Each structure stands twice: as structure tokens, then as C-alpha cells.
Amino acid sequence: MRLWQIRPELGDREGGYLLALTHLGHLDPFCSSILLRRPMHWMTRREFFVNRIYGWLLSRAGAFPVNRQGIPVRAVRRAIGYARDGRIVGICPEGGRKLGADAAVRGGRIRKGVCSIAIRAGVPIVPCVMVGTHDLSRVGPWLPFKRARLWVAYGEAIHPPPGPSTREKRERLREQLSETYQRLYREVCDRYGIDDAWTP
């Protein structure tokens, strides 16, 4: 595919951090894992682990299940442990694929779990906006080769406030991440002439 990246070096930083990725298409985590040179551990909806074969493949790829309905204590502890150990933990803070006004790139609500993990683990959040993955599930963009297009923008690391996690700290961090998503999306659209109407 044809790939355009803005500040990719921010995603290749050393040490543990949370890669907070937008979710406009189903292939966002997959594409992100390919683009970054370091291995990643993705927080993945437990529904994807129901199928034994698929669940085994996800586990081999470093993914681990998270229950989005209840309080995902086990998954959160695992994510904190990975991040503290210097690894990359991938999270889609929207909690699933969001479109239109609900998308984080347009100011849609994002969950504060990523903020809580960052504060408790003491690691930064690296925001990442990915545009174009919604079109990659069709055959058309792939044939002939080099027609599929993907735009990726990384933001500066957002460092969590020190001390214990509080509602005020999580909300402040969430607002900062939300503003960064919108700014990165505008940067991608302006730089590459992408019409907002084309993005779902």
C-alpha cells in the first residue's frame, strides 16, 4: 500500500508506553503492529477470543482479552505490568470502532481506562491517528497493487500527572488526549488534502 506517516519516530521511542490508537477501521491495530518495529501487547475485546483458533493466534501475537462490560481488573493489571516492564501496550480508547460525530477524531467521547493505566503505571501515552483503514476491507483498493492508502500521525507523548489516580486527573488527561486526536486529524487532512466526508 501507499503509506504516509507524520512523526513516526515518536512511536519508536524506548521504554514502556501506551499507544492510544483511534479506531476508524477494523484493521487499525493490525496495521499499527506492522508499522512499529517493537512488539506490542494489545488490549483486545474478549469476544475475539471465543474462537479457539483465533484466540490462540491473538495470544501468540501478544494480544490479551479485556471485558468491556464489567470492570476489567485483570486486563488493567496486566496492561500496567507490561507497561512498567518497558513494553508497549496498544489501546483503542474509543472502546470499539466509532464513526461520524462519535469518532474521537471529531471530538467523540473516549474512555478513561487508558488514562487510569497511564497514571498507575507511570508511563506516557503516545496518541496515534490512523486514516484510511476503513477502506482496506474492500478488494478494490488492493488491486492493482499500490492503490491502497494509509495515513498515520503520531503525537508527542502525553505524560500522566504523578501520584495516585483520581477522577480529576483522569478527566484532565482524557481531555488532553481528545484534543490531541482532533488536532492530529486536522493535520493529516490539511497536509494531504483528505476530505472529512471521505472518513466514516
Side-chain angles (χ1 to χ4, degrees), residues 157-168:
I158 301 174
H159 294 271
S165 177
T166 64
R167 181 178 298 179
E168 181 182 355

mmCIF file with all atom_site columns, all heavy atoms in Angstrom, residues 157-168:
data_model
loop_
_atom_site.group_PDB
_atom_site.id
_atom_site.type_symbol
_atom_site.label_atom_id
_atom_site.label_alt_id
_atom_site.label_comp_id
_atom_site.label_asym_id
_atom_site.label_entity_id
_atom_site.label_seq_id
_atom_site.pdbx_PDB_ins_code
_atom_site.Cartn_x
_atom_site.Cartn_y
_atom_site.Cartn_z
_atom_site.occupancy
_atom_site.B_iso_or_equiv
_atom_site.pdbx_formal_charge
_atom_site.auth_seq_id
_atom_site.auth_comp_id
_atom_site.auth_asym_id
_atom_site.auth_atom_id
_atom_site.pdbx_PDB_model_num
ATOM 1  N N   . ALA A 1 157 ? 4.352   12.539 23.183 1.00 0.00 ? 157 ALA A N   1
ATOM 2  C CA  . ALA A 1 157 ? 3.943   11.757 24.341 1.00 0.00 ? 157 ALA A CA  1
ATOM 3  C C   . ALA A 1 157 ? 3.259   12.642 25.380 1.00 0.00 ? 157 ALA A C   1
ATOM 4  O O   . ALA A 1 157 ? 3.718   13.753 25.666 1.00 0.00 ? 157 ALA A O   1
ATOM 5  C CB  . ALA A 1 157 ? 5.157   11.066 24.953 1.00 0.00 ? 157 ALA A CB  1
ATOM 6  N N   . ILE A 1 158 ? 2.155   12.148 25.903 1.00 0.00 ? 158 ILE A N   1
ATOM 7  C CA  . ILE A 1 158 ? 1.428   12.849 26.963 1.00 0.00 ? 158 ILE A CA  1
ATOM 8  C C   . ILE A 1 158 ? 1.778   12.171 28.284 1.00 0.00 ? 158 ILE A C   1
ATOM 9  O O   . ILE A 1 158 ? 1.451   11.000 28.502 1.00 0.00 ? 158 ILE A O   1
ATOM 10 C CB  . ILE A 1 158 ? -0.089  12.794 26.725 1.00 0.00 ? 158 ILE A CB  1
ATOM 11 C CG1 . ILE A 1 158 ? -0.453  13.433 25.376 1.00 0.00 ? 158 ILE A CG1 1
ATOM 12 C CG2 . ILE A 1 158 ? -0.842  13.474 27.865 1.00 0.00 ? 158 ILE A CG2 1
ATOM 13 C CD1 . ILE A 1 158 ? -1.913  13.281 25.007 1.00 0.00 ? 158 ILE A CD1 1
ATOM 14 N N   . HIS A 1 159 ? 2.448   12.880 29.151 1.00 0.00 ? 159 HIS A N   1
ATOM 15 C CA  . HIS A 1 159 ? 2.893   12.298 30.421 1.00 0.00 ? 159 HIS A CA  1
ATOM 16 C C   . HIS A 1 159 ? 1.825   12.477 31.499 1.00 0.00 ? 159 HIS A C   1
ATOM 17 O O   . HIS A 1 159 ? 1.301   13.585 31.693 1.00 0.00 ? 159 HIS A O   1
ATOM 18 C CB  . HIS A 1 159 ? 4.207   12.937 30.864 1.00 0.00 ? 159 HIS A CB  1
ATOM 19 C CG  . HIS A 1 159 ? 5.343   12.618 29.941 1.00 0.00 ? 159 HIS A CG  1
ATOM 20 N ND1 . HIS A 1 159 ? 6.148   11.507 30.104 1.00 0.00 ? 159 HIS A ND1 1
ATOM 21 C CD2 . HIS A 1 159 ? 5.797   13.263 28.826 1.00 0.00 ? 159 HIS A CD2 1
ATOM 22 C CE1 . HIS A 1 159 ? 7.049   11.481 29.141 1.00 0.00 ? 159 HIS A CE1 1
ATOM 23 N NE2 . HIS A 1 159 ? 6.864   12.525 28.353 1.00 0.00 ? 159 HIS A NE2 1
ATOM 24 N N   . PRO A 1 160 ? 1.487   11.405 32.185 1.00 0.00 ? 160 PRO A N   1
ATOM 25 C CA  . PRO A 1 160 ? 0.445   11.492 33.220 1.00 0.00 ? 160 PRO A CA  1
ATOM 26 C C   . PRO A 1 160 ? 0.947   12.247 34.442 1.00 0.00 ? 160 PRO A C   1
ATOM 27 O O   . PRO A 1 160 ? 2.155   12.296 34.700 1.00 0.00 ? 160 PRO A O   1
ATOM 28 C CB  . PRO A 1 160 ? 0.181   10.022 33.555 1.00 0.00 ? 160 PRO A CB  1
ATOM 29 C CG  . PRO A 1 160 ? 1.489   9.350  33.304 1.00 0.00 ? 160 PRO A CG  1
ATOM 30 C CD  . PRO A 1 160 ? 2.066   10.065 32.100 1.00 0.00 ? 160 PRO A CD  1
ATOM 31 N N   . PRO A 1 161 ? 0.044   12.844 35.197 1.00 0.00 ? 161 PRO A N   1
ATOM 32 C CA  . PRO A 1 161 ? 0.451   13.535 36.424 1.00 0.00 ? 161 PRO A CA  1
ATOM 33 C C   . PRO A 1 161 ? 0.921   12.516 37.455 1.00 0.00 ? 161 PRO A C   1
ATOM 34 O O   . PRO A 1 161 ? 0.458   11.378 37.478 1.00 0.00 ? 161 PRO A O   1
ATOM 35 C CB  . PRO A 1 161 ? -0.842  14.238 36.870 1.00 0.00 ? 161 PRO A CB  1
ATOM 36 C CG  . PRO A 1 161 ? -1.937  13.423 36.269 1.00 0.00 ? 161 PRO A CG  1
ATOM 37 C CD  . PRO A 1 161 ? -1.405  12.929 34.961 1.00 0.00 ? 161 PRO A CD  1
ATOM 38 N N   . PRO A 1 162 ? 1.859   12.904 38.311 1.00 0.00 ? 162 PRO A N   1
ATOM 39 C CA  . PRO A 1 162 ? 2.360   11.978 39.338 1.00 0.00 ? 162 PRO A CA  1
ATOM 40 C C   . PRO A 1 162 ? 1.316   11.727 40.423 1.00 0.00 ? 162 PRO A C   1
ATOM 41 O O   . PRO A 1 162 ? 0.327   12.458 40.541 1.00 0.00 ? 162 PRO A O   1
ATOM 42 C CB  . PRO A 1 162 ? 3.577   12.720 39.904 1.00 0.00 ? 162 PRO A CB  1
ATOM 43 C CG  . PRO A 1 162 ? 3.261   14.175 39.678 1.00 0.00 ? 162 PRO A CG  1
ATOM 44 C CD  . PRO A 1 162 ? 2.508   14.228 38.375 1.00 0.00 ? 162 PRO A CD  1
ATOM 45 N N   . GLY A 1 163 ? 1.563   10.679 41.196 1.00 0.00 ? 163 GLY A N   1
ATOM 46 C CA  . GLY A 1 163 ? 0.668   10.389 42.313 1.00 0.00 ? 163 GLY A CA  1
ATOM 47 C C   . GLY A 1 163 ? -0.428  9.421  41.940 1.00 0.00 ? 163 GLY A C   1
ATOM 48 O O   . GLY A 1 163 ? -0.490  8.921  40.811 1.00 0.00 ? 163 GLY A O   1
ATOM 49 N N   . PRO A 1 164 ? -1.332  9.159  42.887 1.00 0.00 ? 164 PRO A N   1
ATOM 50 C CA  . PRO A 1 164 ? -2.406  8.189  42.647 1.00 0.00 ? 164 PRO A CA  1
ATOM 51 C C   . PRO A 1 164 ? -3.415  8.682  41.611 1.00 0.00 ? 164 PRO A C   1
ATOM 52 O O   . PRO A 1 164 ? -3.529  9.873  41.341 1.00 0.00 ? 164 PRO A O   1
ATOM 53 C CB  . PRO A 1 164 ? -3.061  8.058  44.036 1.00 0.00 ? 164 PRO A CB  1
ATOM 54 C CG  . PRO A 1 164 ? -2.750  9.353  44.720 1.00 0.00 ? 164 PRO A CG  1
ATOM 55 C CD  . PRO A 1 164 ? -1.384  9.747  44.234 1.00 0.00 ? 164 PRO A CD  1
ATOM 56 N N   . SER A 1 165 ? -4.132  7.711  41.042 1.00 0.00 ? 165 SER A N   1
ATOM 57 C CA  . SER A 1 165 ? -5.138  8.035  40.036 1.00 0.00 ? 165 SER A CA  1
ATOM 58 C C   . SER A 1 165 ? -6.396  8.584  40.702 1.00 0.00 ? 165 SER A C   1
ATOM 59 O O   . SER A 1 165 ? -6.956  7.965  41.608 1.00 0.00 ? 165 SER A O   1
ATOM 60 C CB  . SER A 1 165 ? -5.484  6.771  39.234 1.00 0.00 ? 165 SER A CB  1
ATOM 61 O OG  . SER A 1 165 ? -6.510  7.030  38.305 1.00 0.00 ? 165 SER A OG  1
ATOM 62 N N   . THR A 1 166 ? -6.816  9.755  40.275 1.00 0.00 ? 166 THR A N   1
ATOM 63 C CA  . THR A 1 166 ? -8.048  10.364 40.783 1.00 0.00 ? 166 THR A CA  1
ATOM 64 C C   . THR A 1 166 ? -8.949  10.709 39.602 1.00 0.00 ? 166 THR A C   1
ATOM 65 O O   . THR A 1 166 ? -8.486  10.779 38.460 1.00 0.00 ? 166 THR A O   1
ATOM 66 C CB  . THR A 1 166 ? -7.760  11.647 41.577 1.00 0.00 ? 166 THR A CB  1
ATOM 67 O OG1 . THR A 1 166 ? -7.189  12.628 40.699 1.00 0.00 ? 166 THR A OG1 1
ATOM 68 C CG2 . THR A 1 166 ? -6.794  11.363 42.725 1.00 0.00 ? 166 THR A CG2 1
ATOM 69 N N   . ARG A 1 167 ? -10.216 10.927 39.895 1.00 0.00 ? 167 ARG A N   1
ATOM 70 C CA  . ARG A 1 167 ? -11.159 11.261 38.833 1.00 0.00 ? 167 ARG A CA  1
ATOM 71 C C   . ARG A 1 167 ? -10.746 12.539 38.107 1.00 0.00 ? 167 ARG A C   1
ATOM 72 O O   . ARG A 1 167 ? -10.831 12.635 36.881 1.00 0.00 ? 167 ARG A O   1
ATOM 73 C CB  . ARG A 1 167 ? -12.567 11.428 39.422 1.00 0.00 ? 167 ARG A CB  1
ATOM 74 C CG  . ARG A 1 167 ? -13.626 11.767 38.382 1.00 0.00 ? 167 ARG A CG  1
ATOM 75 C CD  . ARG A 1 167 ? -15.007 11.868 39.007 1.00 0.00 ? 167 ARG A CD  1
ATOM 76 N NE  . ARG A 1 167 ? -15.411 10.603 39.604 1.00 0.00 ? 167 ARG A NE  1
ATOM 77 C CZ  . ARG A 1 167 ? -16.564 10.417 40.232 1.00 0.00 ? 167 ARG A CZ  1
ATOM 78 N NH1 . ARG A 1 167 ? -17.415 11.427 40.368 1.00 0.00 ? 167 ARG A NH1 1
ATOM 79 N NH2 . ARG A 1 167 ? -16.871 9.230  40.737 1.00 0.00 ? 167 ARG A NH2 1
ATOM 80 N N   . GLU A 1 168 ? -10.285 13.517 38.856 1.00 0.00 ? 168 GLU A N   1
ATOM 81 C CA  . GLU A 1 168 ? -9.876  14.787 38.257 1.00 0.00 ? 168 GLU A CA  1
ATOM 82 C C   . GLU A 1 168 ? -8.675  14.598 37.321 1.00 0.00 ? 168 GLU A C   1
ATOM 83 O O   . GLU A 1 168 ? -8.633  15.154 36.224 1.00 0.00 ? 168 GLU A O   1
ATOM 84 C CB  . GLU A 1 168 ? -9.528  15.789 39.364 1.00 0.00 ? 168 GLU A CB  1
ATOM 85 C CG  . GLU A 1 168 ? -9.121  17.158 38.824 1.00 0.00 ? 168 GLU A CG  1
ATOM 86 C CD  . GLU A 1 168 ? -8.743  18.118 39.946 1.00 0.00 ? 168 GLU A CD  1
ATOM 87 O OE1 . GLU A 1 168 ? -8.884  17.743 41.124 1.00 0.00 ? 168 GLU A OE1 1
ATOM 88 O OE2 . GLU A 1 168 ? -8.298  19.237 39.627 1.00 0.00 ? 168 GLU A OE2 1
#
